[in-house]
Amino acid sequence: MSIQHLSEQEIIRREKLEELKKLGIDAYPAALYPVNSTSVYIKENYKGEENKADFAEVCIAGRIMSVRDMGKANFAVIQDAVGKIQFYIKQDDICPGDDKTMYQTVWKKLVDIGDILGIKGYVFTTKTGETSIHVKEFTILTKSLRPLPIVKEKDGEAFDEVTDPEFRYRQRYADLIVNPAVKETFIKRTKMVNAIREFLNERGALEVDTPVLQSIPGGAAARPFTTHHNALDVPMYMRIANELYLKRLIVGGFDFVYEFSRNFRNEGMDRTHNPEFTVLEFYAAYKDYEWMMDTTELMLEKAAIATNGATKVVVGDKEIDFKAPYKRITMYDAIKEFTGFDISEMDEAGIRDVCRELKIHADEKWGKGKLIDEIFGSKCEGNYIQPTFITDYPVEMSPLTKKHRSKPGLVERFELMCNGKEIANAYSELNDPIEQRERFEEQVKLMERGDDEAMFIDHDFLRALEYGMPPTSGIGFGIDRIAMLLTNQHSIQDVLFFPMMRPENNE
């Protein structure tokens, strides 16, 4: 970076770095720093005279967040990975001899807010009752060359908080430093994922990995990202779903498998969609979609408790309860409830007429399944705030799903709706290879009509089915959307560390 692109503060900090070098101080040391405590541990466990001997030699490291200069003594705040703690630093402690350079020059002039320091000292309580560290020695561990955005605090309240989404998403590293609640959101997300993993492991499921780079983008109706494998000279696709590979493992003899899958879809971006996203899929042999609904309820109840300590969560101005059991309603009944139309016996032309009545766009390229999906999406989906299973979908909407055992024209499928959005999609999986081939061929016809989200034929998957796949139930969960619900975030970007952004203009 040339000097003309630097701010005045950035230039000053680089000059300070040079001054440190002249003093023989390495601002980026390689050696291990012997941290033996954390801010939170000290604040939670220090009891004053009762156990001060246990805190006579503490060593912590973190980022300087504020300084109160009182001449020959200063109070400052250091932030480590788990919280903040005040420390007291005095000239005579740092420089007991005649040379006062370490305090008067290094501490007072060359250390900035944002620098990462290691401090050693003992714990004490100030006259105002605040647990603090009395510093005997400090070490510069990293010189910060770019000033942090400043967030002011008073009496536990933050002022001038950094709220600009463009800055927060693009510079998440700075966002995490200055907005502690952001870090807490991601910690909760990890607790949620760990709880789900624990739930599945306890029930005998095996976690697996399947290919991200695929020769056929199967398992979902979506537009893939394409690339090219130079050595084989063939087109390749980033996976849009891991479904067909997990089913191959069921064919191979595994009874219960799952994967936290990073998927990619070359489609739009909005508050609930990012081109790169995380899905949990699991498949269980000898189960059906009724078993899957029961299992899903219990798993999400456990995840909610692990994340927030309760099944009820606040999402915006609504309270959502993840305690099992959840309401169940068929798709046709849901459409009838919210539109007044019973479309269960209608053909494609009839459903197009309903779309016109409801003023819903009905593209000529769309088949019956896509039209029904549009009606449900625009008129019904947003009404389901509490967790609700929408069941028994039309066969045209579900090319990978087993026909309903008692209702002609329907399949054994459900979607779980919550806060007006789909968060899970499940089937009794189609395991008849002849019928599966016919369903794929119907998708090819849609592709020929111009539907660029129709599925490719996966001949290897059909070959696997011909060896015989046991009756199987499968499900896919949108992990990012569930994280949004359980952490009360309104945008998918707030539960992704580094969401997709337009390229920065650095000119």
Side-chain angles (χ1 to χ4, degrees):
M1 184 182 285
S2 61
I3 197 78
Q4 63 261 34
H5 289 108
L6 298 175
S7 69
E8 181 183 3
Q9 277 295 314
E10 289 170 323
I11 293 170
I12 290 170
R13 289 193 178 210
R14 281 161 172 74
E15 290 170 350
K16 290 182 179 182
L17 178 62
E18 291 304 312
E19 289 300 313
L20 288 169
K21 289 178 182 175
K22 289 176 184 176
L23 291 171
I25 295 173
D26 182 358
Y28 306 98
L32 175 149
Y33 191 74
V35 172
N36 65 11
S37 195
T38 69
S39 58
V40 168
Y41 180 83
I42 292 169
K43 290 163 88 170
E44 288 181 351
N45 293 280
Y46 179 70
K47 308 297 181 189
E49 290 296 322
E50 179 185 328
N51 66 347
K52 70 176 186 179
D54 296 335
F55 295 87
E57 294 184 4
V58 299
C59 176
I60 74 169
R63 197 179 292 273
I64 304 302
M65 299 303 289
S66 66
V67 177
R68 280 188 292 139
D69 191 342
M70 300 157 65
K72 292 184 178 180
N74 287 181
F75 280 102
V77 172
I78 191 168
Q79 176 175 291
D80 61 12
V82 292
K84 297 177 182 178
I85 191 167
Q86 178 176 270
F87 66 88
Y88 174 73
I89 184 167
K90 192 168 67 168
Q91 176 176 285
D92 292 345
D93 293 321
I94 301 302
C95 307
D98 293 336
D99 184 357
K100 307 299 182 185
T101 303
M102 199 62 188
Y103 184 85
Q104 288 294 345
T105 302
V106 178
W107 169 255
K108 294 287 291 282
K109 297 178 181 177
L110 302 182
V111 169
D112 289 298
I113 289 173
D115 288 357
I116 298 173
L117 265 57
I119 60 174
K120 297 178 181 178
Y122 62 88
V123 181
F124 75 108
T125 305
T126 66
K127 292 176 182 176
T128 59
E130 184 168 353
T131 300
S132 306
I133 299 172
H134 189 128
V135 177
K136 292 294 187 181
E137 176 188 326
F138 75 89
T139 304
I140 296 177
L141 301 176
T142 300
K143 179 67 187 167
S144 169
L145 299 182
R146 184 182 292 267
L148 288 171
I150 299 299
V151 178
K152 302 183 181 71
E153 289 188 27
K154 185 177 181 182
D155 299 328
E157 285 192 47
F159 301 90
D160 299 327
E161 290 180 276
V162 178
T163 57
D164 175 35
E166 171 75 14
F167 172 84
R168 291 184 53 239
Y169 302 152
R170 198 175 291 284
Q171 298 187 41
R172 181 68 85 189
Y173 34 86
D175 183 33
L176 289 163
I177 294 167
V178 301
N179 289 325
V182 172
K183 181 182 279 190
E184 185 59 30
T185 294
F186 288 100
I187 291 171
K188 283 186 172 184
R189 178 184 170 124
T190 296
K191 287 180 179 177
M192 178 195 83
V193 169
N194 288 346
I196 292 171
R197 182 175 273 120
E198 185 179 274
F199 176 91
L200 293 170
N201 290 345
E202 285 171 352
R203 283 157 179 77
L206 179 73
E207 185 169 11
V208 298
D209 288 312
T210 64
V212 175
L213 198 61
Q214 303 179 349
S215 57
I216 294 175
R223 186 183 298 122
F225 284 95
T226 60
T227 185
H228 188 82
H229 191 294
N230 291 337
L232 297 178
D233 192 24
V234 293
M236 300 293 286
Y237 304 89
M238 302 296 284
R239 81 173 155 208
I240 56 175
N242 56 345
E243 175 171 341
L244 301 187
Y245 281 96
L246 292 177
K247 287 181 182 177
R248 286 171 169 93
L249 297 179
I250 297 292
V251 171
F254 292 102
D255 278 357
F256 195 178
V257 293
Y258 74 94
E259 180 178 19
F260 286 95
S261 165
R262 191 60 58 83
N263 292 351
F264 306 83
R265 296 185 182 177
N266 196 356
E267 297 168 354
M269 302 191 314
D270 58 29
R271 284 176 47 254
T272 58
H273 294 87
N274 192 68
E276 179 180 0
F277 59 100
T278 303
V279 164
L280 163 70
E281 292 203 22
F282 62 84
Y283 292 80
Y286 313 111
K287 309 297 185 191
D288 65 6
Y289 78 142
E290 296 282 355
W291 173 89
M292 187 62 81
M293 282 188 263
D294 296 340
T295 302
T296 296
E297 293 170 338
L298 295 174
M299 189 185 80
L300 291 179
E301 182 178 315
K302 178 184 174 85
I305 293 169
T307 307
N308 293 301
T311 61
K312 292 181 179 178
V313 297
V314 174
V315 181
D317 58 355
K318 299 179 283 284
E319 183 178 79
I320 295 174
D321 194 350
F322 283 93
K323 185 169 181 58
Y326 303 159
K327 177 183 175 181
R328 303 178 185 191
I329 183 172
T330 70
M331 169 163 274
Y332 282 149
D333 285 345
I335 289 173
K336 188 174 181 180
E337 179 182 352
F338 290 107
T339 70
F341 287 98
D342 182 353
I343 65 169
S344 60
E345 303 296 328
M346 293 184 184
D347 59 11
E348 182 178 320
I351 293 171
R352 285 189 180 277
D353 289 340
V354 169
C355 287
R356 277 191 284 274
E357 290 255 0
L358 296 173
K359 295 182 171 53
I360 294 171
H361 172 66
D363 196 293
E364 286 302 317
K365 294 194 295 285
W366 295 347
K368 182 178 175 182
K370 181 75 169 173
L371 295 170
I372 295 170
D373 195 27
E374 285 296 309
I375 294 171
F376 180 82
S378 62
K379 298 299 181 182
C380 308
E381 188 172 304
N383 295 299
Y384 294 107
I385 304 304
Q386 299 303 320
T388 303
F389 291 116
I390 308 298
T391 68
D392 299 349
Y393 281 51
V395 66
E396 295 86 356
M397 292 180 68
S398 311
L400 300 172
T401 314
K402 185 172 284 191
K403 284 182 179 177
H404 200 285
R405 65 195 74 178
S406 62
K407 299 176 183 177
L410 302 183
V411 293
E412 296 199 347
R413 173 186 176 187
F414 70 79
E415 288 184 305
L416 178 59
M417 300 294 163
C418 187
N419 199 36
K421 291 289 181 183
E422 173 218 334
I423 60 172
N425 186 15
Y427 312 146
S428 291
E429 302 295 338
L430 179 59
N431 61 342
D432 178 340
I434 294 171
E435 186 176 347
Q436 180 65 81
R437 184 177 296 276
E438 291 171 354
R439 302 266 193 100
F440 274 146
E441 287 168 352
E442 287 298 317
Q443 289 289 302
V444 170
K445 290 176 185 175
L446 290 175
M447 196 178 290
E448 289 169 352
R449 286 171 61 176
D451 187 344
D452 58 5
E453 293 185 359
M455 290 187 193
F456 289 68
I457 294 184
D458 188 331
H459 293 284
D460 179 71
F461 175 66
L462 290 170
R463 179 169 58 192
L465 282 189
E466 288 169 355
Y467 281 103
M469 185 176 83
T472 298
S473 184
I475 192 165
F477 294 87
I479 289 296
D480 307 310
R481 289 187 183 178
I482 298 172
M484 287 168 62
L485 290 170
L486 294 184
T487 60
N488 192 20
Q489 301 300 322
H490 306 294
S491 170
I492 194 171
Q493 286 83 6
D494 289 316
V495 296
L496 300 175
F497 273 125
F498 303 105
M500 179 72 72
M501 303 285 288
R502 289 185 185 279
E504 216 169 347
N505 184 359
N506 290 315
E507 293 180 7

